Coordinates of all heavy atoms in Angstrom, one line a residue:
A721 N 116.4 10.0 115.1 CA 117.8 10.4 115.5 C 118.7 10.5 114.4 O 119.6 11.4 114.4 CB 118.3 9.3 116.5
S722 N 118.5 9.7 113.3 CA 119.4 9.8 112.1 C 119.2 11.2 111.4 O 120.1 11.7 110.9 CB 119.0 8.7 111.2 OG 119.2 7.4 111.7
V723 N 118.0 11.7 111.5 CA 117.7 13.0 110.9 C 118.4 14.1 111.6 O 118.9 15.0 111.0 CB 116.2 13.2 110.9 CG1 115.9 14.6 110.3 CG2 115.4 12.2 110.1
I724 N 118.5 13.9 113.0 CA 119.2 14.9 113.8 C 120.7 15.0 113.3 O 121.2 16.1 113.1 CB 119.1 14.5 115.3 CG1 117.7 14.7 115.8 CG2 120.1 15.4 116.1 CD1 117.5 14.3 117.2
S725 N 121.4 13.9 113.3 CA 122.8 14.0 112.9 C 123.0 14.5 111.4 O 123.9 15.2 111.1 CB 123.5 12.6 113.1 OG 122.8 11.6 112.4
Y726 N 122.0 14.1 110.6 CA 122.1 14.6 109.2 C 122.0 16.1 109.1 O 122.7 16.8 108.4 CB 121.0 13.9 108.4 CG 120.7 14.6 107.1 CD1 121.6 14.5 106.0 CD2 119.5 15.4 106.9 CE1 121.3 15.2 104.8 CE2 119.3 16.1 105.7 CZ 120.2 16.0 104.7 OH 119.9 16.7 103.5
K727 N 121.0 16.6 109.8 CA 120.8 18.1 109.8 C 122.0 18.8 110.4 O 122.4 19.9 109.9 CB 119.6 18.5 110.6 CG 118.3 18.1 109.9 CD 117.1 18.5 110.7 CE 115.8 18.3 110.0 NZ 114.6 18.7 110.8
L728 N 122.6 18.3 111.4 CA 123.8 18.9 112.0 C 125.0 18.9 111.0 O 125.7 19.9 110.9 CB 124.3 18.2 113.3 CG 123.3 18.3 114.5 CD1 123.7 17.4 115.6 CD2 123.3 19.8 115.0
F729 N 125.2 17.8 110.3 CA 126.2 17.7 109.3 C 125.9 18.6 108.1 O 126.8 19.3 107.6 CB 126.4 16.3 108.8 CG 127.5 16.1 107.8 CD1 128.8 16.0 108.2 CD2 127.2 16.1 106.4 CE1 129.8 15.9 107.2 CE2 128.2 16.0 105.5 CZ 129.5 15.9 105.9
A730 N 124.7 18.6 107.6 CA 124.3 19.4 106.5 C 124.5 20.9 106.7 O 124.8 21.6 105.8 CB 122.8 19.1 106.1
E731 N 124.2 21.3 107.9 CA 124.3 22.7 108.3 C 125.8 23.1 108.2 O 126.1 24.2 107.8 CB 123.8 23.0 109.7 CG 123.8 24.4 110.1 CD 123.2 24.7 111.4 OE1 122.5 23.8 112.0 OE2 123.4 25.8 112.0
A732 N 126.7 22.2 108.7 CA 128.1 22.5 108.7 C 128.8 22.3 107.3 O 129.8 23.0 107.0 CB 128.8 21.7 109.8
H733 N 128.3 21.4 106.5 CA 128.9 21.0 105.3 C 127.8 20.9 104.2 O 127.6 19.8 103.7 CB 129.7 19.7 105.4 CG 130.8 19.8 106.4 ND1 132.0 20.4 106.2 CD2 130.8 19.3 107.7 CE1 132.8 20.3 107.3 NE2 132.1 19.6 108.2
P734 N 127.2 21.9 103.8 CA 126.1 21.8 102.8 C 126.5 21.3 101.4 O 125.7 20.7 100.7 CB 125.6 23.3 102.6 CG 126.7 24.1 103.2 CD 127.4 23.3 104.2
A735 N 127.8 21.5 101.1 CA 128.3 21.0 99.8 C 128.5 19.4 99.8 O 128.7 18.9 98.7 CB 129.6 21.7 99.4
Q736 N 128.5 18.8 100.9 CA 128.7 17.4 101.0 C 127.5 16.6 101.3 O 127.6 15.4 101.7 CB 129.8 17.1 102.1 CG 131.2 17.7 101.8 CD 132.2 17.4 102.9 OE1 132.5 18.3 103.7 NE2 132.7 16.2 103.0
I737 N 126.3 17.1 101.2 CA 125.1 16.4 101.5 C 124.9 15.1 100.7 O 124.6 14.1 101.3 CB 123.9 17.4 101.3 CG1 123.9 18.4 102.4 CG2 122.6 16.6 101.4 CD1 122.8 19.4 102.3
R738 N 125.1 15.2 99.4 CA 124.9 14.0 98.6 C 125.9 12.9 99.0 O 125.5 11.7 99.1 CB 125.1 14.4 97.1 CG 124.9 13.2 96.1 CD 124.9 13.7 94.7 NE 124.6 12.6 93.8 CZ 125.5 11.7 93.4 NH1 126.8 11.8 93.8 NH2 125.2 10.7 92.5
Q739 N 127.2 13.3 99.2 CA 128.2 12.3 99.6 C 127.8 11.7 100.9 O 127.9 10.4 101.1 CB 129.5 13.0 99.8 CG 130.6 12.1 100.3 CD 131.8 12.9 100.8 OE1 131.9 14.0 100.5 NE2 132.7 12.2 101.5
Y740 N 127.3 12.5 101.9 CA 126.8 12.0 103.2 C 125.7 11.0 103.0 O 125.7 9.9 103.7 CB 126.4 13.1 104.1 CG 126.0 12.7 105.5 CD1 126.8 12.7 106.5 CD2 124.6 12.4 105.7 CE1 126.4 12.3 107.8 CE2 124.2 12.0 107.0 CZ 125.1 12.0 108.0 OH 124.7 11.6 109.2
L741 N 124.7 11.3 102.3 CA 123.5 10.4 102.1 C 123.9 9.1 101.5 O 123.4 8.0 101.9 CB 122.4 11.1 101.3 CG 121.7 12.3 102.0 CD1 120.8 13.0 101.0 CD2 121.0 11.9 103.2
L742 N 124.8 9.1 100.5 CA 125.2 7.9 99.8 C 126.0 7.0 100.8 O 125.8 5.8 100.9 CB 126.0 8.2 98.6 CG 125.3 8.8 97.4 CD1 126.3 9.2 96.3 CD2 124.3 7.8 96.9
L743 N 126.9 7.7 101.6 CA 127.7 6.9 102.6 C 126.8 6.4 103.7 O 127.0 5.3 104.2 CB 128.7 7.9 103.1 CG 130.0 7.3 103.7 CD1 130.7 6.4 102.6 CD2 131.0 8.4 104.2
F744 N 125.8 7.2 104.1 CA 124.8 6.8 105.1 C 124.1 5.5 104.7 O 124.0 4.5 105.5 CB 123.8 7.9 105.3 CG 122.8 7.6 106.4 CD1 123.0 7.8 107.7 CD2 121.5 7.0 106.0 CE1 122.0 7.5 108.6 CE2 120.6 6.7 106.9 CZ 120.8 7.0 108.2
L745 N 123.6 5.5 103.4 CA 122.9 4.3 103.0 C 123.8 3.1 102.8 O 123.4 2.0 103.1 CB 122.2 4.6 101.6 CG 121.1 5.6 101.6 CD1 120.6 5.9 100.2 CD2 119.9 5.0 102.4
Y746 N 125.1 3.3 102.5 CA 126.0 2.2 102.3 C 126.3 1.5 103.7 O 126.1 0.3 103.8 CB 127.3 2.8 101.8 CG 128.5 1.8 101.8 CD1 128.5 0.8 100.9 CD2 129.5 2.0 102.7 CE1 129.6 -0.1 100.9 CE2 130.6 1.1 102.7 CZ 130.6 0.0 101.8 OH 131.7 -0.9 101.8
Y747 N 126.6 2.3 104.7 CA 126.9 1.7 106.0 C 125.6 1.1 106.7 O 125.7 0.1 107.4 CB 127.6 2.7 106.9 CG 129.0 2.9 106.6 CD1 129.5 4.1 106.0 CD2 129.9 1.9 106.7 CE1 130.8 4.3 105.7 CE2 131.3 2.0 106.4 CZ 131.7 3.2 105.9 OH 133.0 3.3 105.6
N748 N 124.5 1.8 106.5 CA 123.2 1.2 107.0 C 122.9 -0.1 106.3 O 122.3 -1.0 107.0 CB 122.1 2.3 106.9 CG 122.1 3.2 108.1 OD1 121.4 3.1 109.0 ND2 122.9 4.3 108.0
A749 N 123.1 -0.2 105.0 CA 122.8 -1.4 104.3 C 123.7 -2.5 104.8 O 123.3 -3.7 105.0 CB 123.1 -1.2 102.8
I750 N 125.0 -2.2 105.1 CA 125.9 -3.2 105.7 C 125.3 -3.7 107.0 O 125.3 -4.9 107.3 CB 127.3 -2.6 105.9 CG1 128.0 -2.4 104.5 CG2 128.2 -3.6 106.7 CD1 129.3 -1.8 104.6
G751 N 124.9 -2.7 107.9 CA 124.4 -3.1 109.2 C 123.1 -4.0 109.1 O 123.0 -5.0 109.8
L752 N 122.2 -3.7 108.2 CA 121.0 -4.5 108.0 C 121.4 -5.9 107.5 O 120.8 -6.9 108.0 CB 120.1 -3.8 107.0 CG 119.3 -2.6 107.5 CD1 118.5 -2.0 106.4 CD2 118.3 -3.0 108.6
L753 N 122.3 -6.0 106.5 CA 122.6 -7.3 105.9 C 123.3 -8.2 107.0 O 123.1 -9.4 106.9 CB 123.6 -7.1 104.8 CG 123.0 -6.5 103.5 CD1 124.0 -6.2 102.5 CD2 122.0 -7.5 102.9
L754 N 124.0 -7.6 107.9 CA 124.7 -8.4 108.9 C 123.8 -8.7 110.1 O 123.8 -9.8 110.7 CB 126.0 -7.7 109.4 CG 127.1 -7.6 108.4 CD1 128.3 -6.8 108.9 CD2 127.6 -9.0 107.9
L755 N 123.1 -7.7 110.6 CA 122.3 -7.9 111.8 C 120.9 -8.5 111.7 O 120.5 -9.3 112.5 CB 122.1 -6.5 112.5 CG 123.4 -5.9 113.1 CD1 123.1 -4.5 113.7 CD2 124.0 -6.8 114.1
V756 N 120.2 -8.2 110.6 CA 118.9 -8.8 110.4 C 118.9 -10.3 110.5 O 118.1 -10.9 111.3 CB 118.2 -8.3 109.1 CG1 116.9 -9.1 108.8 CG2 117.9 -6.8 109.2

């Protein structure tokens, strides 16, 4: 499901892919650190 939202964003904003991936890892890391 994460790949789906990534592809939708990348198609609309191809110049922001790197920023998106870094931000994605940042918030997912926060989620893992708190929930695990």
Side-chain angles (χ1 to χ4, degrees):
S722 300
V723 178
I724 289 173
S725 54
Y726 163 74
K727 286 182 176 179
L728 290 171
F729 179 85
E731 184 179 345
H733 302 282
Q736 295 178 257
I737 289 177
R738 184 174 182 275
Q739 174 195 350
Y740 179 92
L741 291 174
L742 290 174
L743 206 57
F744 178 88
L745 291 174
Y746 171 73
Y747 282 112
N748 275 265
I750 290 176
L752 284 174
L753 287 172
L754 293 176
L755 290 180
V756 170

